[in-house]
Amino acid sequence: MGTAGAAANRRPDRWVILAVLCLVQLVVILDNTILNVAIPSLTKELGATTSQTQWVIGAYSLAQAGLLIAAGGFADRYGRKRTQLLGLVFFGLGSAGAALSSTAGELIAARAAMGVGGSMLLATSIAIVVRTFDGEELPKAMAAAMGVGSLGFALGPVIGGLLLAHFWWGSVFLVNLPVCVLGLIGVARLVPESKDPLGDRPDLLGAVLCTVGLVAGVYAIIQGPGYGWTSGRTLLPAAICVVVMTGFVLWERRTPHPLLDMSFFRNARFRGAVSGGVLVSFGMGGSLFLLTQHLQFVLGYGPLSAGLRTAPMALTVVLLNLTGFGMRLTTKLAPPVAIAVGLTLMAGGLAAIAVLGHNGSYPGILLGLLLMGAGIACAQPAMGGAVMSSIPPERAGIGSGLMGTMSELGNSLGVAVLGAVLTAGFASSLPAGVPQGAARSLPDALAAGGPGKAHQVHSAFADSLTNAQLIGAVAVLVGGLVAAWLIGRAGTAPVGGGTVPGQPEAREPEPAPAA
């Protein structure tokens, strides 16, 4: 079909559909970081330890990472619109449960339930975009969707700080409910239904193995500093992770209807985007988790002030997307170059925050946030396009799920690993007379050390933060170089006949717009 014919068949309400999808995606991704500024409140009001606060954040990301691929397969089989609606229901119910939690354990369980709903939403958003747009409009729509995702990731601390300045910590969850209601109305009326015509059976065993393996691995990472890395309580879940994930790979290679087609990994562009995406999310998620603690515990800002001081990154992403500068830059540069440049900027920003902000210099943190925003606007559309162009269009749900999985898995591991690095470094740097067990949180260490050792405890915490943030910067830089190198080596032919973003694809007929 020619360009004119393709344009004639485009839905007139496609940009409204995109707006609905962006709204849903915004609130799901926003909940990855909205709790970061509430960590001190959770520590005081719920008596949560550092490990528990990591689980409050990590349970949400981990549930998404474990179920996104399964949710993508479910969406391809049973319908992407149907999956979106189910996801909104689960997400809304989980948000209500989180707001009403009275213990850290209840909050962790509610956050996991939210993650289940979030997995359904993230697994279908990009897939619906790919099925709704084509030609020259597809890269613009992809950039808009990913830009909103980055905006939600960065605006979380701002909105969380604003709510905490006027309400109790549960308000950061109640704000999701009206968005869920609007999303249900918009998706039900506007979003077209689409599914894989082949209708493969869902791989239930693969979904179980993937989820169990990821949960066991992150549990070992989070609990390692507390129990000891050689403790049986750390080694046992680590071993379970290795065994179960090995079984997952073997099962996916032999089952006729795999959850994740391992042939995708034969494509170097796909491998580059996936590996780079995991490392980038690792550095970004973990470093922003540390940054909010840096602003509050080290520099002494309140929740709202700390949230507002992370806003420049989000504003930079929005400015570059609204002006079209980011899109023009990424379309002029080859994808490997755009990814390498963008992720180098992000790594430089993280390093600037760690080094220049170490002694209480917010201008240094500001410089880092601006560099990170520019890097996101440059690299993310190119990386997302590399994934979606590497798989067949009828498996768009799996592709969208994979993109979400690499982001959520990297974010969860970043919080766990860099949080563990912070705890371990803090424990080893505490002044004499302060027990290492007090390193569970800065308030505990200050209480154990007393006023006479407060300065030493603060310095130990700041030094440990800097070291953990630098590890995050290195992870982002390595991720950018790996992704750019692998994608640069790849050919242009997608796996299984997929399409390259910006080129028309053969697509199933869509239903007429809703009246």
Side-chain angles (χ1 to χ4, degrees):
M1 181 179 293
T3 303
N9 288 333
R10 290 170 179 164
R11 293 178 58 98
D13 59 352
R14 60 193 180 279
W15 294 107
V16 180
I17 293 172
L18 178 63
V20 172
L21 295 174
C22 286
L23 176 65
V24 171
Q25 185 166 309
L26 176 65
V27 71
V28 174
I29 296 179
L30 182 128
D31 264 74
N32 278 300
T33 56
I34 196 171
L35 266 189
N36 284 354
V37 293
I39 289 173
S41 299
L42 293 176
T43 301
K44 296 175 183 177
E45 297 183 28
L46 294 182
T49 65
T50 298
S51 176
Q52 286 176 323
T53 56
Q54 288 174 1
W55 269 111
V56 168
I57 295 173
Y60 178 73
S61 299
L62 185 58
Q64 288 183 349
L67 293 173
L68 266 166
I69 298 176
F74 179 91
D76 286 340
R77 172 64 179 84
Y78 296 106
R80 292 155 194 146
K81 175 178 180 177
R82 180 178 300 173
T83 305
Q84 278 258 318
L85 293 172
L86 286 174
L88 284 165
V89 171
F90 275 104
F91 193 81
L93 292 176
S95 297
L100 298 175
S101 298
S102 58
T103 67
E106 291 176 0
L107 182 56
I108 291 170
R111 289 279 288 172
M114 291 173 63
V116 173
S119 70
M120 296 180 178
L121 297 172
L122 291 182
T124 48
S125 295
I126 298 299
I128 294 174
V129 170
V130 170
R131 306 300 291 176
T132 304
F133 293 86
D134 59 13
E136 73 281 358
E137 288 186 344
L138 180 55
K140 297 177 182 178
M142 289 275 288
M146 293 181 182
V148 166
S150 300
L151 179 62
F153 197 76
L155 279 182
V158 179
I159 296 176
L162 184 63
L163 291 171
L164 288 173
H166 298 90
F167 308 102
W168 100 113
W169 60 265
S171 62
V172 301
F173 301 111
L174 287 181
V175 73
N176 296 334
L177 298 183
V179 176
C180 288
V181 173
L182 290 175
L184 281 168
I185 296 172
V187 171
R189 287 188 56 85
L190 297 172
V191 173
E193 184 61 282
S194 62
K195 62 180 68 174
D196 182 358
L198 298 180
D200 290 342
R201 292 179 301 173
D203 179 13
L204 298 180
L205 179 58
V208 171
L209 291 173
C210 182
T211 303
V212 171
L214 291 173
V215 169
V218 176
Y219 178 85
I221 294 171
I222 291 178
Q223 300 299 334
Y227 293 139
W229 294 105
T230 58
S231 167
R233 300 178 70 172
T234 301
L235 294 178
L236 178 59
I240 291 174
C241 171
V242 173
V243 172
V244 172
M245 293 307 293
T246 300
F248 170 73
V249 173
L250 294 176
W251 170 253
E252 296 303 288
R253 295 181 65 180
R254 66 180 295 271
T255 183
H257 302 287
L259 176 67
L260 175 59
D261 190 345
M262 291 298 164
S263 67
F264 293 162
F265 290 93
R266 298 173 187 166
N267 184 287
R269 181 170 60 251
F270 179 84
R271 294 197 305 271
V274 168
S275 58
V278 169
L279 286 171
V280 169
S281 298
F282 174 95
M284 288 289 295
S287 295
L288 287 178
F289 170 73
L290 299 176
L291 175 59
T292 54
Q293 296 189 61
H294 188 165
L295 291 171
Q296 293 185 73
F297 285 142
V298 176
L299 302 187
Y301 294 116
L304 178 57
S305 296
L308 289 174
R309 281 168 173 78
T310 65
M313 180 173 69
L315 295 176
T316 302
V317 175
V318 173
L319 179 63
L320 293 179
N321 282 333
L322 289 181
T323 60
F325 177 81
M327 175 54 62
R328 288 195 297 271
L329 180 63
T330 53
T331 53
K332 290 180 180 180
L333 297 176
V337 177
I339 290 172
V341 170
L343 298 186
T344 299
L345 287 172
M346 290 166 62
L350 290 169
I353 290 173
V355 176
L356 300 179
H358 176 73
N359 293 319
S361 170
Y362 179 73
I365 294 176
L366 175 62
L367 173 63
L369 292 171
L370 294 176
L371 290 173
M372 289 169 63
I376 291 170
C378 181
Q380 200 166 45
M383 191 172 293
V387 173
M388 296 305 292
S389 66
S390 301
I391 62 175
E394 65 271 12
R395 305 303 301 276
I398 290 292
S400 185
L402 281 168
M403 290 176 61
T405 297
M406 67 185 185
S407 175
E408 296 301 332
L409 177 59
N411 179 66
S412 180
L413 290 174
V415 171
V417 173
L418 297 188
V421 170
L422 168 62
T423 301
F426 187 32
S428 64
S429 303
L430 287 172
V434 179
Q436 290 194 346
R440 295 183 307 168
S441 68
L442 180 59
D444 286 352
L446 289 172
K453 296 181 179 179
H455 178 72
Q456 292 174 282
V457 171
H458 268 290
S459 296
F461 188 80
D463 291 342
S464 301
L465 266 175
T466 297
N467 293 334
Q469 287 169 329
L470 287 175
I471 292 175
V474 171
V476 171
L477 180 61
V478 171
L481 297 178
V482 168
W485 177 68
L486 288 173
I487 294 173
R489 294 178 62 244
T492 57
V495 174
T499 60
V500 176
Q503 300 300 321
E505 62 164 285
R507 61 182 67 232
E508 64 205 54
E510 303 284 10

